Amino acid sequence: MNNIYLAAPFFSDGQNDRVNEVVSLLRANPTVAENGIFIPSEHQQEDLEFGTFKWQVATFNSDVRQIHKADAVVAILDYQYEETQENEPDSGTIFEIGAAWEAGVPVVLVQYDESKKLNLMLAQSYTAFYNGKAAIQALKTYDFNDLPQHYTDKEVF
């Protein structure tokens, strides 16, 4: 069974709705460990004051450790999907994707907003890419044991 690090923004109701949907799909996936999804928002160093330097160091180190321990990173690219036409990915999520790629941890990208182009660096760093609400449903059957390539011909920038 595989352990997954879920990289995603979790600062608004819409973002949390997307996180919850992806978590549900991953929990239904028979190749994902039952308690094997690391969700950073659930590990916020509650014993430390939010935003302090100690909190920042502890949170950063914990998240990077979990990325390196994961069998795969699933990253939700949509950030301000409801708020703006730009909908650029969250910078923290992008960092987590880069850290995973550099560590040799496979990356599965998820994008709800089908209309958005994909950045070249992201387009070259993923193992699988699910683009659009309907396509994302395949996360419940994606084989995290074999990690098959799932490409898109999406235009890059």
Side-chain angles (χ1 to χ4, degrees):
M1 290 301 184
N2 296 286
N3 293 309
I4 306 298
Y5 181 97
L6 181 60
F10 50 86
F11 311 111
S12 73
D13 290 342
Q15 293 164 4
N16 284 316
D17 289 345
R18 288 186 289 279
V19 166
N20 291 335
E21 180 176 11
V22 168
V23 167
S24 292
L25 293 168
L26 292 172
R27 285 191 174 136
N29 186 310
T31 65
V32 173
E34 185 175 338
N35 293 311
I37 304 169
F38 183 86
I39 306 165
S41 62
E42 295 178 356
H43 303 273
Q44 289 291 298
Q45 313 301 323
E46 287 81 13
D47 57 324
L48 299 171
E49 184 181 343
F50 178 83
T52 62
F53 182 72
K54 285 184 179 182
W55 175 88
Q56 292 173 38
V57 170
T59 300
F60 175 86
N61 286 324
S62 172
D63 288 357
V64 170
R65 246 187 334 273
Q66 293 301 320
I67 290 168
H68 289 172
K69 288 173 54 177
D71 297 302
V73 167
V74 173
I76 303 173
L77 298 180
D78 303 273
Y79 179 33
Q80 296 178 321
Y81 186 51
E82 294 82 12
E83 294 92 358
T84 176
Q85 291 289 92
E86 298 303 314
N87 191 29
E88 288 293 322
D90 167 59
S91 58
T93 302
I94 299 305
F95 177 88
E96 292 163 324
I97 292 167
W101 187 88
E102 183 61 25
V105 177
V107 176
V108 175
L109 298 181
V110 172
Q111 182 170 269
Y112 281 76
D113 189 349
E114 292 179 71
S115 70
K116 296 302 173 194
K117 293 179 184 175
L118 192 59
N119 176 278
L120 169 66
M121 300 304 278
L122 296 178
Q124 293 301 309
S125 67
Y126 69 77
T127 298
F129 179 56
Y130 292 97
N131 189 39
K133 192 161 177 60
I136 291 165
Q137 300 307 305
L139 287 172
K140 65 185 163 197
T141 58
Y142 181 75
D143 186 349
F144 283 95
N145 291 326
D146 291 332
L147 296 160
Q149 296 289 322
H150 186 267
Y151 294 107
T152 181
D153 59 2
K154 179 165 252 337
E155 186 177 344
V156 299
F157 68 94

